[in-house]
Amino acid sequence: MNQDQTLQINKYINIFSKRKWFIMFSMLLSIIIGVAIYLKTPKAYQSKAILLYQEQSIEAARNPRRDTRGILRDLVNTMTQQVTSRSILEKIITKFNLYQNLRAQMPIEDVILMVRTKKISIS
């Protein structure tokens, strides 16, 4: 190492040693604020799925007027009914211990109804 690099390194060491309490305080404050924000923000679960529909050529030849949008609408409705069924939602709520406060105050049926109407959106 040449002398310029040594002087540069010594300069940074001196700066750090003079300001070490400020740097450590800033890091500690940042960690505390980060943990507080993490603990206070509500946990949100999100899932996405894509339905792909490919019409079979045999079915198309047999019934050429079949409405593809109607088929897709029926598929989405079926999936919606399956996803929002009481048994599936109850399993998810109990497995992941969701809505603890609400379950302590209300029956599970009311919690499931609230989740189904307010917390789940399917588009």
Side-chain angles (χ1 to χ4, degrees):
M1 259 202 269
N2 64 28
Q3 191 170 3
D4 289 339
Q5 288 178 337
T6 307
L7 288 174
Q8 194 75 5
I9 291 172
N10 287 337
K11 177 182 169 185
Y12 287 122
I13 290 172
N14 287 336
I15 289 172
F16 178 75
S17 65
K18 288 179 184 177
R19 305 205 193 288
K20 66 181 172 188
W21 291 111
F22 176 74
I23 293 169
M24 290 191 322
F25 176 74
S26 299
M27 289 177 60
L28 182 65
L29 185 64
S30 300
I31 291 171
I32 291 172
I33 290 173
V35 168
I37 289 172
Y38 170 75
L39 293 175
K40 286 292 183 182
T41 54
K43 309 305 182 263
Y45 300 93
Q46 183 175 2
S47 176
K48 293 184 180 184
I50 297 175
L51 289 176
L52 297 176
Y53 174 73
Q54 183 175 4
E55 190 170 4
Q56 295 179 355
S57 60
I58 297 171
E59 187 177 322
R62 196 173 31 191
N63 191 359
R65 293 186 177 195
R66 191 145 186 210
D67 182 22
T68 305
R69 287 188 181 196
I71 293 170
L72 291 176
R73 195 176 316 111
D74 292 343
L75 284 172
V76 170
N77 287 338
T78 303
M79 292 294 291
T80 301
Q81 289 174 1
Q82 289 176 351
V83 168
T84 59
S85 71
R86 183 193 185 286
S87 60
I88 298 289
L89 288 178
E90 185 176 3
K91 285 179 188 176
I92 291 172
I93 289 171
T94 55
K95 180 179 181 182
F96 294 109
N97 203 17
L98 302 174
Y99 306 107
Q100 299 159 342
N101 296 338
L102 287 176
R103 285 192 294 152
Q105 299 170 0
M106 301 165 35
I108 190 71
E109 291 81 15
D110 293 342
V111 175
I112 291 171
L113 181 63
M114 187 268 311
V115 168
R116 187 181 293 146
T117 57
K118 296 182 181 177
K119 301 292 183 178
I120 295 178
S121 65
I122 297 175
S123 58

